[in-house]
Amino acid sequence: MSGRYSRRDFIRQGGAMGAGLALANIASVIPAAAQENDSARKSTGGKMLKIGFVGIGARGSNLFRILLELEGVEISALCDIRQDRVTRAQRWVTEAGRPEPSGYTRGDTDFKRMCETEALDLVITATPWRWHVPVCVAAMEAGKHAATEVPAAVTLNECWQLVETSDKSNKHCMMLENYCYFRKTMTILNMIRRGVFGELLHCEGRTQENWIRENWHVFNSDGTMGWLGEHLANRNGNPYPTHGFGPLGIWANINRGDRLDHLVSMSSMGRALKLHAEESFGKEHILAKRIYNQGDANITLLRSANGVSFTLYFGGQSPQPWSPEHKVQGTLATCIGDMFDYRAQDDKWIQAKVYEKAREADLRGRWGNYWDYAEKYDHPLWKALGDEANRYRARDWSGAYDYLMLYQLVNALRRNEAPPMDVYDAATWSAISELSERSVAQKSSLQEFPDFTKGKWKSNAPTDLSQV
Ligand SMILES: NC(=O)c1ccc[n+]([C@@H]2O[C@H](COP(=O)([O-])OP(=O)(O)OC[C@H]3O[C@@H](n4cnc5c(N)ncnc54)[C@H](O)[C@@H]3O)[C@@H](O)[C@H]2O)c1
């Protein structure tokens, strides 16, 4: 099927409109042209984008190696506090037959020298969280666009710093939230835009990680605290909200027709990190005797100005699998399930399911199969670039999503256009961190969201993430 509106879709949407619904979240319909399988790629005029990259660790290396293969990209400068990481990445560049980028390795703030010295279009940071905002601010103040790993910011002050610097310098700042590019989250976005869910009522998202098993920066093997462990020891709320919220924010047009209004948050007690420290290093070790503030489960409830509710789960310390399970509920349908793009019908994953009013006679009060919808509502970006993106799956579980995200960022900037997700998304989604911490600290008290867009959310057009 061409992907244009079918008659059934049209009737569904028309019916909802007739019911006098606000329709904020189905008002943006993907243009028919963008629905074609072979949507034309917009011309970049052959512009080369000069990139400076800061933080080439585990995550940075994956992003970096995709960038190296993207058309129109020149990696001009590299920065890491570790010389060996810069040397390794320089080698990757020269092995690809490109000129060696300059290296910046003189300590924690050498990225400033890089931003001030180098002629760059874009600076990308994949450093630990505390450096995201300093790097992005240094880049924008030096006249470069910025992109940052998630979450963009730790505190509300930092969120404002990003927004104010971007507004003042007229430079873009995109947060690299790759969960927005999962094939399922994008198929659901397409289903929402095409009216399958009617008006959105409620969404749920999870940052359910497995940090202990993956040994992800919680404790270092030498018995010191890892950079993530430091956050978990000192904070208590949802410190990593954007994997959970990012797709929901796009689905529900947050900052583009709607805005987050307030939240409340609650954490369980935290036991897992202390137990892990005892098992790893013994009961007398300094890490075993330390206090860990972060609860092992955090639940945050949010509500938008237009009345959509959201729940977010955060946890990665106690034994549980990685599970990016999301939910969307509308006036006409509901979908729930793991957003990861496996297809096998095995019970290692929480199968995605759909319940649709239009199929109630068939479904008889039971879930329908998500895969009945997957092909029909496959997102235009995946239709256009899915084969290219899937080449990166073998390298890393998120390679395909990272490819689509970097492709859109790089090509938007090459065309002198705004990237698909903006500084207001970065600030709003990241602000959940400090607001949830404040709420937890005050017995789940209500916290109002700042309006980072300063009123522009009312007139901002929704995004469909469909630009190729
Ligand atoms: N989107 C995803 O799916 C995903 C997955 C993993 C990590 N991440 C994010 O990526 C970021 C990095 O995570 P990681 O696992 O690669 O961490 P990492 O510790 O492996 O890598 C961080 C790198 O930054 C360098 N660094 C630290 N401080 C620096 C500074 N001041 N200046 C320059 N370089 C500095 C370190 O030496 C290291 O090479 C984090 O923000 C994390 O949340 C995102």
Side-chain angles (χ1 to χ4, degrees):
M1 129 142 198
S2 74
R4 286 178 198 281
Y5 263 145
S6 70
R7 185 171 168 274
R8 189 160 157 238
D9 295 325
F10 182 76
I11 291 168
R12 261 198 207 120
Q13 185 157 358
M17 282 172 179
L21 300 173
L23 291 179
N25 39 44
I26 68 168
S28 137
V29 168
I30 295 176
Q35 294 277 324
E36 300 296 342
N37 280 355
D38 55 351
S39 358
R41 297 187 189 193
K42 265 175 98 179
S43 167
T44 55
K47 179 179 158 66
M48 290 299 287
L49 200 74
K50 288 182 192 293
I51 296 182
F53 203 102
V54 186
I56 321 144
R59 176 73 180 146
S61 300
N62 289 337
L63 295 176
F64 185 85
R65 297 176 76 156
I66 294 173
L67 283 170
L68 203 50
E69 291 173 19
L70 274 182
E71 195 187 318
V73 165
E74 188 179 317
I75 312 265
S76 307
L78 301 169
C79 173
D80 199 295
I81 49 174
R82 284 179 51 174
Q83 175 70 55
D84 60 321
R85 299 228 155 135
V86 167
T87 307
R88 184 180 59 171
Q90 281 172 323
R91 201 186 62 238
W92 288 334
V93 179
T94 52
E95 280 172 1
R98 313 271 190 86
E100 183 176 282
S102 1
Y104 291 79
T105 55
R106 291 189 207 155
D108 275 349
T109 54
D110 208 25
F111 56 80
K112 284 190 190 163
R113 193 168 61 93
M114 183 190 90
C115 294
E116 283 157 13
T117 315
E118 298 282 334
L120 302 169
D121 300 299
L122 168 68
V123 173
I124 300 181
T125 176
T127 49
W129 301 345
R130 65 166 290 206
W131 295 108
H132 290 176
V133 170
V135 173
C136 291
V137 166
M140 290 188 281
E141 283 181 343
K144 281 89 180 165
H145 299 299
T148 172
E149 256 307 330
V150 296
V154 174
T155 65
L156 284 174
N157 259 343
E158 282 191 333
C159 292
W160 276 117
Q161 251 182 294
L162 281 184
V163 167
E164 303 290 3
T165 312
S166 172
D167 285 350
K168 212 159 108 194
S169 63
N170 222 2
K171 291 291 154 190
H172 298 294
C173 178
M174 171 168 157
M175 181 166 62
L176 300 171
E177 185 40 84
N178 53 352
Y179 280 43
C180 297
Y181 289 86
F182 282 15
R183 195 166 200 151
K184 275 191 204 141
T185 58
M186 297 197 89
T187 300
I188 291 168
L189 172 64
N190 198 11
M191 289 166 74
I192 291 169
R193 297 298 192 250
R194 293 170 67 186
V196 175
F197 290 93
E199 190 179 18
L200 289 205
L201 304 166
H202 175 73
C203 302
E204 297 179 14
R206 295 175 87 77
T207 305
Q208 178 172 315
E209 303 280 344
N210 190 344
W211 288 327
I212 301 296
R213 193 190 64 82
E214 288 167 16
N215 201 18
W216 200 67
H217 312 304
V218 176
F219 303 139
N220 299 320
S221 50
D222 64 1
T224 55
M225 187 73 96
W227 63 258
L228 174 67
E230 207 62 65
H231 286 277
L232 300 174
N234 293 314
R235 301 166 61 192
N236 187 9
N238 184 338
Y240 204 24
T242 65
H243 286 339
F245 190 76
L248 318 188
I250 300 288
W251 289 346
N253 291 333
I254 296 303
N255 291 338
R256 300 178 178 81
D258 199 358
R259 64 174 286 262
L260 287 179
D261 186 74
H262 62 272
L263 64 71
V264 295
S265 185
M266 184 181 285
S267 287
S268 74
M269 60 184 157
R271 289 284 181 267
L273 290 184
K274 201 172 177 61
L275 288 172
H276 180 47
E278 286 175 4
E279 278 168 24
S280 307
F281 307 110
K283 288 195 173 181
E284 297 310 313
H285 192 275
I286 189 167
L287 290 179
K289 290 186 172 257
R290 211 174 148 162
I291 290 170
Y292 295 93
N293 286 332
Q294 179 62 48
D296 291 338
N298 171 270
I299 312 288
T300 300
L301 310 182
L302 310 93
R303 198 167 194 277
S304 78
N306 289 350
V308 181
S309 60
F310 303 85
T311 60
L312 290 183
Y313 170 86
F314 164 84
Q317 303 89 281
S318 64
Q320 56 184 348
W322 175 70
S323 186
E325 191 192 334
H326 288 41
K327 177 176 180 179
V328 52
Q329 175 185 347
T331 50
L332 297 178
T334 297
C335 174
I336 190 168
D338 205 311
M339 293 295 116
F340 188 51
D341 300 324
Y342 65 95
R343 249 208 108 115
Q345 302 288 319
D346 69 45
D347 58 9
K348 290 199 192 103
W349 305 95
I350 297 173
Q351 293 293 328
K353 301 169 262 198
V354 178
Y355 188 84
E356 206 189 345
K357 187 174 182 208
R359 292 178 58 202
E360 276 194 316
D362 295 342
L363 295 172
R364 299 173 192 218
R366 298 281 181 261
W367 289 109
N369 193 333
Y370 164 83
W371 296 108
D372 294 346
Y373 298 80
E375 200 178 324
K376 177 175 177 188
Y377 293 102
D378 197 18
H379 190 279
L381 186 70
W382 272 94
K383 281 187 183 165
L385 300 182
D387 289 345
E388 281 172 42
N390 281 331
R391 287 192 292 131
Y392 291 89
R393 271 184 199 280
R395 239 186 240 175
D396 182 45
W397 71 268
S398 66
Y401 320 127
D402 299 336
Y403 172 81
L404 294 174
M405 174 177 74
L406 292 172
Y407 180 97
Q408 282 200 328
L409 166 65
V410 160
N411 286 296
L413 295 180
R414 288 177 76 205
R415 293 190 299 262
N416 289 323
E417 290 175 359
M421 293 179 274
D422 61 23
V423 71
Y424 309 108
D425 297 319
T428 306
W429 304 354
S430 302
I432 295 167
S433 292
E434 185 176 334
L435 292 173
S436 62
E437 287 170 55
R438 288 187 187 192
S439 178
V440 168
Q442 296 161 25
K443 288 196 172 182
S444 309
S445 67
L446 185 146
Q447 303 293 319
E448 306 266 2
F449 269 86
D451 175 11
F452 294 105
T453 73
K454 298 176 186 159
K456 282 184 275 186
W457 64 273
K458 291 179 191 158
S459 51
N460 283 343
T463 181
D464 298 320
L465 300 180
S466 58
Q467 185 57 65
V468 289

